Amino acid sequence: MLVGMKITTIVLDSVGLGYLPDAAQFGDEGADTLDHTVLKTGIELPHLAALGLGHVPGVHTLPRVAKPQGAFGRMLEVNPGKDTSTGHWEFVGIRLTHPFQVFPQGYPQDFLAEYCRRIGVGGYLLNRPYSGTEAIRDYGDEHLRTGFPIVYTSADSVFQVAAHIGKVPLETLYDWCRVAREMLVGPLACARVIARPFEGEPGRYYRREDLRKDFALEPPHNVLDEIKAAGLEVVGVGKIPDIYAHRGFTREVKSGSNEEGLARTLELMRQDFSGLIFTNLVDFDAKYGHRRNPQGYAQALVDFDARLPELLAALGPDDHLFIVSDHGNDPTYRGTDHTREYGMLLVAGPGMAGRDLGTRATFADLAASWARLLGVRWNGEGVSI
């Protein structure tokens, strides 16, 4: 490993590059988050284009520059699913043979009865796939009257619990989620239990995204463990540590927005250490994709593009910057769920300029590439770029 080398990897959460060959199995044929957002809004992304994003197969809305500043390609997701956990687990070299459990009809009644008994409440509200903002709009009043948790899911493998901070103390909500996490294993195993605190008055409820907390299944052995075991730093920014159940990290840095996530990432890039900085920028997905808001999604892309020169300037002579995405969430598509799409792969660093990385066979090529650059043993999934 080169002394002082840092790899910074930034996940543009849900910025997919067009539907995968198996997208029809997920009901997502025709989805294309990046191109549809650009077409709908007319935005320009000059710095992403300069890295080579317009050269990636399937990207039709950005120009092809004469001399790309970075390496460019896309990644095919192998894991069965289209959510945060399946994509991020594959990033670090975890191959899933079976999809995480989903509950399109809601969770079983006997499970919920036992859950309510364990957390000491007399009942629950909702229990079916639902928009989070609509859940508190439609059930917030009853929740305030009864104190019952609002529980709901989505097309993803999640068990979400919403509660008003004024009715249910935040730590109590977190405890409710810890109980659910302990119970949702084995045949009922789901990828994430998510605490969804909210505030406000009837008719004006709003979610406190900054107080959201994820309780994930602990992943099996992966490349983060190897990097940490080699004595290198592994710093998770934003929701990254939550996704991996806080396994494999030497430091965790909180972030409540894309802007804050980028600020914290830049601070870390300028520090003197060797290892991995791993950041998730969640606003694309949480604030705009699920809410089918192409204008908001487009502005988030423009804002990130504007910060890209600053990120590139923060790279040391041996450092690398990876910009990737974990699935799609086409804001122009039907429904409110994620979309099964190719992941982005842009790389800046020594020897990367102008390299066409093509279509990678798995997201796990990211794990193999990190290991190769950092001189860390890795015999798992993926092929280094």
Side-chain angles (χ1 to χ4, degrees):
M1 185 202 71
L2 297 172
V3 175
M5 177 194 282
K6 283 195 287 292
I7 297 173
T8 300
T9 299
I10 300 176
V11 183
L12 307 188
D13 198 310
S14 85
V15 184
L17 301 187
Y19 67 95
L20 287 172
D22 64 357
Q25 299 175 28
F26 296 82
D28 295 330
E29 194 169 22
D32 191 340
T33 298
L34 178 68
D35 272 0
H36 287 171
T37 301
V38 175
L39 284 170
K40 182 76 172 180
T41 62
I43 57 169
E44 296 182 356
L45 303 170
H47 303 299
L48 285 165
L51 274 183
L53 186 54
H55 291 263
V56 176
V59 175
H60 305 292
T61 57
L62 300 185
R64 295 190 169 201
V65 297
K67 294 182 178 180
Q69 298 171 2
F72 50 87
R74 63 182 182 178
M75 300 180 289
L76 190 150
E77 183 172 11
V78 176
N79 280 349
K82 54 176 181 177
D83 63 16
T84 295
S85 297
T86 55
H88 280 74
W89 281 28
E90 190 169 331
F91 283 155
V92 301
I94 300 169
R95 179 74 175 269
L96 296 173
T97 55
H98 301 288
F100 291 119
Q101 276 276 27
V102 294
F103 297 87
Q105 308 304 318
Y107 282 77
Q109 294 300 315
D110 57 348
F111 162 78
L112 286 169
E114 177 62 13
Y115 173 65
C116 290
R117 187 191 69 77
R118 291 194 190 188
I119 65 174
V121 298
Y124 62 88
L125 304 172
L126 189 51
N127 185 36
R128 62 179 183 271
Y130 221 78
S131 159
T133 52
E134 293 175 5
I136 61 175
R137 180 196 68 194
D138 296 345
Y139 291 87
D141 292 356
E142 190 174 356
H143 164 72
L144 285 178
R145 182 176 60 81
T146 63
F148 294 171
I150 305 170
V151 299
Y152 61 101
T153 185
S154 72
D156 298 335
S157 181
V158 293
F159 181 81
Q160 304 187 79
V161 187
H164 193 287
I165 295 171
K167 185 71 175 181
V168 178
L170 192 61
E171 286 303 321
T172 299
L173 173 59
Y174 292 160
D175 286 341
W176 287 357
C177 290
R178 291 185 184 98
V179 170
R181 178 70 281 164
E182 291 171 1
M183 295 177 66
L184 289 168
V185 294
L188 291 180
C190 78
R192 287 180 296 156
V193 174
I194 306 176
R196 293 288 195 178
F198 67 98
E199 286 188 299
E201 304 300 322
R204 295 192 299 274
Y205 298 126
Y206 59 94
R207 297 202 296 189
R208 287 292 304 272
E209 295 291 355
D210 57 320
L211 300 177
R212 162 185 168 163
K213 194 166 186 176
D214 292 34
F215 300 81
L217 278 177
E218 183 169 345
H221 182 81
N222 63 79
V223 76
L224 300 179
D225 298 318
E226 295 290 353
I227 297 171
K228 182 179 179 180
L232 303 174
E233 289 262 31
V234 183
V235 187
V237 180
K239 73 174 187 177
I240 288 290
D242 288 337
I243 295 169
Y244 301 102
H246 306 276
R247 173 175 175 163
F249 297 93
T250 58
R251 276 194 277 169
E252 300 183 7
V253 178
K254 298 293 185 183
S255 167
S257 66
N258 282 7
E259 181 180 1
E260 186 179 2
L262 287 170
R264 300 292 85 77
T265 300
L266 281 162
E267 290 170 3
L268 290 162
M269 292 174 74
R270 293 165 180 148
Q271 293 177 14
D272 184 17
F273 66 86
S274 300
L276 175 68
I277 303 165
F278 195 5
T279 300
N280 180 289
L281 301 182
V282 73
D283 288 357
F284 302 104
D285 186 57
K287 292 185 178 179
Y288 309 117
H290 285 300
R291 300 179 189 181
R292 294 300 187 252
N293 179 353
Q295 295 294 337
Y297 206 109
Q299 188 59 54
L301 284 168
V302 169
D303 292 344
F304 174 78
D305 188 80
R307 300 297 296 275
L308 190 48
E310 196 175 357
L311 291 164
L312 295 172
L315 291 172
D318 300 315
D319 294 346
H320 290 73
L321 172 66
F322 287 74
I323 301 172
V324 301
S325 60
D326 54 342
H327 51 73
N329 201 346
D330 187 340
T332 72
Y333 206 64
R334 61 181 177 268
T336 60
D337 294 325
H338 295 150
T339 43
R340 175 83 168 170
E341 298 186 43
Y342 287 99
M344 181 187 302
L345 178 60
L346 298 173
V347 189
M352 292 291 110
R355 288 186 55 193
D356 184 350
L357 303 175
T359 299
R360 312 302 297 188
T362 168
F363 285 9
D365 285 3
L366 194 60
S369 300
W370 292 344
R372 179 69 177 269
L373 283 168
L374 293 171
V376 170
R377 181 181 63 86
W378 177 246
N379 297 319
E381 299 283 331
V383 175
S384 173
I385 66 170

